[in-house]
Amino acid sequence: MKRETLFLKIAIFIIGAPVAMLCVFVLPKFPNFYAEWLPELAYLRYPIVIFFYVTAIPFFFALYQAFNMLTYIDKNEAFSDVSVKALKYIKHCAAVISLLYIAGMPFFYLTADLDDAPGIIIIGLMVVFGALVVALFAAVLQKLLQKAIEIKSENDLTI
């Protein structure tokens, strides 16, 4: 394992570990807490938990694809179609996360309105825009990598 990618692989683990801990330890206890916190919206406790679990799926898949890309870099296969495919998956996962949070904004609004906590909506919007930034960045990298592969294959043919 190369030193340059080791740091990034550790960073991927550090990003994924807290979310995994939330999914394993916090989210199972969330329905009871939510029912006590906002009894008027107790009927939303399970859809909200399901929403967070559903959004965790593309998150972890994107982290897995990023880890794969670092593995491709270690194997000197960074300029290959599998890297482009991994970036495409990351782009789609980020877009799905963003769309899911946009669809979930009414739940955030109801909770924020009843609890008088507008910060909940801001946190939801930060996730939406953060995921959009990741999707756009992955799209740009995907196009650049595709062009680089095309130029590399043209150079290989001329030699």
Side-chain angles (χ1 to χ4, degrees):
M1 190 178 303
K2 295 187 179 178
R3 206 177 317 154
E4 299 85 19
T5 59
L6 177 65
F7 176 73
L8 293 173
K9 287 179 181 181
I10 292 171
I12 288 173
F13 177 75
I14 290 172
I15 291 169
V19 177
M21 295 296 175
L22 283 173
C23 288
V24 172
F25 297 115
V26 175
L27 282 180
K29 296 176 184 175
F30 185 76
N32 295 332
F33 169 75
Y34 192 79
E36 291 173 12
W37 179 39
L38 294 172
E40 302 88 12
L41 296 177
Y43 63 93
L44 290 178
R45 62 184 173 198
Y46 292 112
I48 290 174
V49 170
I50 292 169
F51 167 78
F52 284 124
Y53 277 124
V54 168
T55 57
I57 293 168
F59 175 77
F60 286 116
F61 186 70
L63 286 182
Y64 172 72
Q65 291 300 321
F67 191 84
N68 281 345
M69 281 201 53
L70 293 173
T71 304
Y72 300 145
I73 292 170
D74 283 342
K75 296 178 182 176
N76 290 327
E77 296 176 11
F79 294 103
S80 63
D81 289 331
V82 289
S83 294
V84 173
K85 198 177 226 183
L87 279 171
K88 184 177 94 170
Y89 287 140
I90 291 170
K91 174 182 70 173
H92 289 305
C93 286
V96 165
I97 291 170
S98 184
L99 289 174
L100 285 171
Y101 269 85
I102 288 171
M105 286 308 282
F107 295 120
F108 287 113
Y109 176 75
L110 286 173
T111 302
D113 190 39
L114 268 174
D115 194 41
D116 198 28
I120 295 173
I121 295 174
I122 294 170
I123 291 170
L125 288 174
M126 285 176 33
V127 172
V128 168
F129 291 123
L132 279 176
V133 167
V134 169
L136 291 173
F137 187 68
V140 169
L141 283 179
Q142 180 187 359
K143 286 190 181 214
L144 286 173
L145 189 57
Q146 188 66 43
K147 290 289 184 188
I149 291 171
E150 289 172 10
I151 291 170
K152 182 180 178 247
S153 66
E154 287 176 10
N155 287 342
D156 290 343
L157 291 175
T158 56
I159 294 177

